[in-house]
Amino acid sequence: MTQSPLHRSGLRDDTTRLQIKEFARKNAANALSVANMVMGISSILSSLNGHHHAACWLVLIGYLLDSADGAVARLLGACSALGAKLDDFSDFTTFGIATALLLRTSDLLDNILCVCYILSVFVRLCFFSSGIPFVYRGLPCVYSSAILASASLLSGGNLALLRIIAVVMIPFMISQNFYPHDRVLESQAWKKAVFAGGVVMVFCSSFPTASVYYMLWSVSFMLFPNSLWSCKGES
């Protein structure tokens, strides 16, 4: 029995819809990584054009996107080598180059500090894998970036303060100390609430309130990684 043209058209439509859904499933996390990279590039351009507050704000939005992309990939079963590369590229763009430009002036020493910061982020990403499940080496550069961006917003771009913070963050990032893999969206309810609060803060609150929120979030991970943010005992 031959199929009618209408029936064949319906089958083609169903196949197309399935292909679109599969494409969306495989690339949802990649889209978040690309969005993070776009935030980083936009922050770079904002810094170069003297839009200081916008540059910091874009870094904080990248912070949220970076917290979500891995969780989305694991939830949808779409982890891939391409996704890992995109994540590293976006992290280097947003939390390396874009964040370093928050420190940039015409002074030679400030430019040297920018280069050192970018190189420390590069080293941090190279040592990301520790070989131990749910653990990685060195302070994740996303937290260092959030601390710098928040401090910059709170201090009005006080360069002396930012230089001190950057000098402190560099050894934390390149250290061989172990930090837990902070799967915020795959963890306890309070961590998910922290992420939700971050979304509300960055889109619905003033600069000072959001900056304090992100500062506390990031500093808590840096100072109390195992007692607060460890994955141990979680499903």
Side-chain angles (χ1 to χ4, degrees), residues 142-152 165 169 215 218-219 222:
V142 59
Y143 292 105
S144 176
S145 291
I147 291 171
L148 273 166
S150 298
S152 185
I165 293 174
M169 292 296 105
M215 178 71 76
S218 302
V219 170
M222 186 177 76

Side-chain angles (χ1 to χ4, degrees), residues 59-74:
V59 167
L60 293 181
I61 295 174
Y63 180 106
L64 291 174
L65 293 169
D66 184 69
S67 299
D69 59 4
V72 170
R74 287 183 288 271

Side-chain angles (χ1 to χ4, degrees), residues 77-151:
C79 297
S80 66
L82 173 61
K85 289 179 180 178
L86 280 174
D87 187 51
D88 282 346
F89 288 146
S90 63
D91 286 354
F92 185 71
T93 302
T94 304
F95 310 126
I97 300 172
T99 302
L101 285 179
L102 301 178
L103 308 164
R104 178 180 171 272
T105 67
S106 58
D107 187 83
L108 176 61
L109 290 179
D110 284 334
N111 289 326
I112 291 174
L113 180 57
C114 286
V115 172
C116 291
Y117 189 90
I118 292 171
L119 289 175
S120 69
V121 171
F122 176 77
V123 170
R124 167 64 187 80
L125 293 172
C126 288
F127 284 105
F128 179 89
S129 177
S130 67
I132 304 173
F134 305 114
V135 172
Y136 41 49
R137 296 181 189 272
L139 178 69
C141 50
V142 59
Y143 292 105
S144 176
S145 291
I147 291 171
L148 273 166
S150 298

Side-chain angles (χ1 to χ4, degrees), residues 185-221:
L185 293 177
E186 303 162 86
S187 188
Q188 298 110 313
W190 73 266
K191 293 181 184 178
K192 297 175 183 177
V194 168
F195 179 87
V199 174
V200 171
M201 287 293 170
V202 82
F203 290 110
C204 304
S205 70
S206 62
F207 282 127
T209 305
S211 300
V212 170
Y213 189 90
Y214 280 91
M215 178 71 76
L216 292 174
W217 182 357
S218 302
V219 170
S220 73
F221 182 88

